Amino acid sequence: MVTPPDIEARILRLYHAEKWLIGTIAQQLHVHYSVVGRVLAQAGLPRPGPPPRKSRIDPYLAFIRQTLETFPALTASRLYVMVRERGYRGSPDHFRHLIACHRPRPKAEAYLRLRSLPGEQGQVDWGHFGHLEIGRARRPLMAFVMVLSHSRQIFLRFFPDARMENFLRGHVAAFSAWHGNPRVLLYDNLKSVVLERQGDAIRFHPTLLSFAGHYRYEPRPVAIARGNEKGRVARAIRYVRDAFFAARNFTDLDDLNAQADAWCNGPAADRRCPDEPERTVRQVFADEAPRLLALPDNPAPLLERVSVSVGKTPYVRFDLNDYTVPHTHVRRILTVLADPHEVRIADGADILARHPRSYDKGAQIEEPAHIQGLLDDKRAARQHSANDRLAQAAPASQTLLMRAAERGANLGAITAALARLLERYGAAALQDAILEALVRDVPHPNAVRLALERQREQLGGEPPVAIVMPAHVRDRDASVRPHALETYDQLKDQHDATRSDN
């Protein structure tokens, strides 16, 4: 804290001319006594008060300073052991406090203010923004941020992880939004960029090198522990945290990214450009955009390609979830081709299955035709398939089946009944109803059905209608085409004519 000049002048006058004590000056001027001592020391006056007492550490100060100059990062505990071996008898806590005063301070480093040409350079980095709860999965919420060094135009896109595919998708989205890309991109030493580094010798990730060659830009990692070299993207991430993400509500990742696009094209583009305060970022970017490199005619392919092994069951595991394949392809090595919305499973050049991508954990994404094909081959698999679906949708069903088995109930009938209730009422309602039946100690589908009806009546819902109606009900409700009544009149006329003839 800086002491006002008038206070400094009054301190010096009262101490030197009036011979006041430090405590008296501090009390009368309403300042701390340490402020008075600092002002007097800065004025070159002798240290007020009695001379300092000799300390036990004084004979060892020369050794301590010499050691710290050679090893600046040496810990105080190790230095205490070395000094104690040479005869020091002070306590370790007091020694640690004294060493903090004598440890050499690093020299303050000055930096040049760098300016880049339009379209010359961009900076890229990830930012961590907490986690997303998707079903049973807890995934990191990662923000891909790219900023143009000249205009400070920001591109922001959120992903559920920081994998290489999402890293490159962020690049492509930024290039598409700007209709071009800079000639140089600065990176931190990420694993997606640098696999190994020894000084200036860098081994780049081959996927990134191929991507950079496709878009004709130079990837350039900054020096190790030199974050100042990419200060523009670091400040941009801090700006995103404070001006965009703080106290923001969103329903899902797509909603968050839609809001991020609107923010980048709105408030973020309307802020003042740091290098040209009289103009906005939008205005400077309008001059920079024509100087960006033109995009290639064909965008780079960004599919995730993973080899997977199919076990005894017709499922492949990809990104924490299971996806079905035809049962004829068990015990094989297949290939998963995934984008953010779809998962394709291929055997060579043949696409065996297409599924919507799930970001849940432990979910089973099934194609009904795959399961039906297995059921047609193995009739015994019907009960196991229904039980598996129940376990995924309502885990409490397994406890109900165990208690029913202890009482000698027919597990096949109970499984079929619960499966029908699952189709009619849904997974969440069935789970709550099964828990209620277990609390009442009645492990039977009728108890579950009563609980479901009770829940429906409390919510004021409509009675569920079975999707497949029994045959006799379906036949009873069949439409009947009425006959023309004129035929009955003709029959009556014929009958009357016959009677008159007789």
Side-chain angles (χ1 to χ4, degrees):
M1 182 176 180
V2 179
T3 305
D6 58 330
I7 298 296
E8 291 186 359
R10 295 178 66 183
I11 289 174
L12 294 174
R13 183 180 64 81
L14 293 175
Y15 180 80
H16 185 71
E18 304 298 338
K19 311 298 184 189
W20 283 14
L21 298 177
I22 290 180
T24 303
I25 297 174
Q27 182 179 7
Q28 296 301 320
L29 298 183
H30 304 290
V31 297
H32 197 267
Y33 70 89
S34 63
V35 175
V36 179
R38 185 178 69 248
V39 171
L40 297 178
Q42 291 175 350
L45 296 177
R47 180 185 178 92
R53 295 184 303 169
K54 291 185 178 181
S55 175
R56 292 182 179 179
I57 202 174
D58 291 345
Y60 308 96
L61 286 178
F63 169 76
I64 290 173
R65 293 194 181 101
Q66 182 181 2
T67 304
L68 290 177
E69 287 178 1
T70 308
F71 306 100
L74 190 66
T75 62
S77 58
R78 176 59 188 145
L79 190 58
Y80 174 76
V81 174
M82 298 172 63
V83 176
R84 187 171 180 82
E85 292 176 351
R86 287 163 174 78
Y88 179 71
R89 291 297 176 262
S91 67
D93 294 335
H94 186 57
F95 179 82
R96 185 176 293 106
H97 173 72
L98 295 175
I99 287 302
C101 301
H102 294 283
R103 188 180 295 277
R105 305 297 179 188
K107 295 182 179 179
E109 185 175 0
Y111 299 99
L112 293 172
R113 177 173 293 179
L114 301 179
R115 293 180 180 271
S116 60
L117 297 175
E120 181 67 21
Q121 184 192 96
Q123 299 183 9
V124 182
D125 205 356
W126 285 109
H128 187 268
F129 284 75
H131 290 81
L132 283 175
E133 300 292 340
I134 305 177
R136 288 161 288 188
R138 186 170 184 264
R139 295 178 178 269
L141 180 60
M142 304 299 297
F144 173 89
V145 180
M146 181 183 293
V147 59
L148 293 176
S149 298
H150 178 74
S151 65
R152 304 302 205 280
Q153 180 74 15
I154 294 176
F155 178 82
L156 173 63
R157 183 61 54 89
F158 289 90
F159 293 98
D161 55 57
R163 296 181 180 179
M164 171 62 80
E165 291 77 16
N166 287 334
F167 189 55
L168 299 184
R169 288 183 186 121
H171 285 71
V172 173
F175 297 163
S176 300
W178 297 338
H179 304 289
N181 59 276
R183 289 169 171 78
V184 178
L185 282 179
L186 294 186
Y187 299 98
D188 204 349
N189 289 273
L190 305 169
K191 287 297 183 183
S192 301
V193 179
V194 178
L195 294 180
E196 186 179 1
R197 180 167 189 164
Q198 296 292 335
D200 294 335
I202 300 173
R203 184 162 69 92
F204 285 94
H205 197 295
T207 303
L208 181 74
L209 279 183
S210 175
F211 179 84
H214 186 82
Y215 285 93
R216 309 297 190 266
Y217 74 87
E218 176 192 351
R220 186 181 298 173
V222 301
I224 297 176
R226 304 293 289 183
N228 60 287
E229 296 183 6
K230 59 177 187 63
R232 289 177 172 85
V233 70
R235 287 190 294 273
I237 293 176
R238 185 168 63 248
Y239 178 55
V240 169
R241 293 187 190 279
D242 298 337
F244 171 76
F245 193 75
R248 182 168 294 273
N249 296 320
F250 54 93
T251 56
D252 54 19
L253 203 59
D254 292 335
D255 179 33
L256 180 60
N257 282 324
Q259 296 183 44
D261 290 341
W263 178 79
C264 289
N265 296 323
D270 292 332
R271 73 190 193 279
R272 293 294 173 183
C273 181
D275 290 340
E276 300 182 36
E278 69 281 359
R279 305 173 68 195
T280 64
V281 170
R282 187 189 307 276
Q283 294 170 338
V284 180
F285 175 70
D287 295 338
E288 183 179 19
R291 292 176 171 82
L292 296 173
L293 293 177
L295 298 179
D297 296 333
N298 54 330
L302 298 176
L303 288 176
E304 298 178 55
R305 182 183 296 270
V306 182
S307 296
V308 292
S309 175
V310 187
K312 297 179 181 179
T313 58
Y315 293 89
V316 298
R317 172 64 59 88
F318 172 72
D319 192 20
L320 306 179
N321 298 294
D322 295 330
Y323 298 84
T324 57
V325 295
H327 69 282
T328 54
H329 287 73
V330 296
R331 299 289 193 177
R332 292 192 184 182
I333 302 296
L334 303 179
T335 303
V336 170
L337 304 172
D339 60 33
H341 304 289
E342 186 184 45
V343 173
R344 290 179 292 170
I345 305 170
D347 182 11
D350 299 329
I351 302 297
L352 303 178
R354 295 175 181 266
H355 298 280
R357 182 164 183 173
S358 173
Y359 291 95
D360 201 345
K361 179 180 180 181
Q364 290 184 349
I365 298 86
E366 299 176 340
E367 173 65 36
H370 299 161
I371 304 301
Q372 188 61 42
L374 179 60
L375 294 179
D376 293 341
D377 284 354
K378 293 189 175 183
R379 295 180 57 86
R382 297 178 185 270
Q383 179 178 346
H384 296 292
S385 177
N387 191 10
D388 193 26
R389 288 197 297 272
L390 283 173
Q392 290 290 327
S397 62
Q398 304 306 299
T399 305
L400 186 142
L401 290 173
M402 291 176 59
R403 293 190 183 180
E406 294 173 355
R407 302 185 181 188
N410 186 341
L411 297 185
I414 295 177
T415 302
L418 293 179
R420 290 193 294 271
L421 294 177
L422 173 62
E423 294 177 357
R424 295 185 184 184
Y425 293 90
L430 180 63
Q431 172 73 5
D432 295 338
I434 292 176
L435 292 175
E436 183 177 341
L438 292 176
V439 171
R440 298 175 180 272
D441 197 23
V442 186
H444 195 276
N446 289 338
V448 178
R449 185 180 296 105
L450 290 175
L452 287 168
E453 283 298 311
R454 193 179 301 110
Q455 294 176 12
R456 181 187 61 77
E457 292 176 357
Q458 292 175 354
L459 297 175
E462 296 293 333
V465 179
I467 298 177
V468 181
M469 301 177 62
H472 67 281
V473 176
R474 185 171 60 252
D475 295 341
R476 183 185 62 188
D477 294 339
S479 60
V480 178
R481 185 176 64 183
H483 292 283
L485 299 180
E486 290 80 1
T487 57
Y488 293 99
D489 295 336
Q490 295 175 4
L491 291 174
K492 182 177 181 303
D493 294 341
Q494 293 176 2
H495 181 69
D496 293 343
T498 303
R499 291 183 62 183
S500 63
D501 293 341
N502 293 333

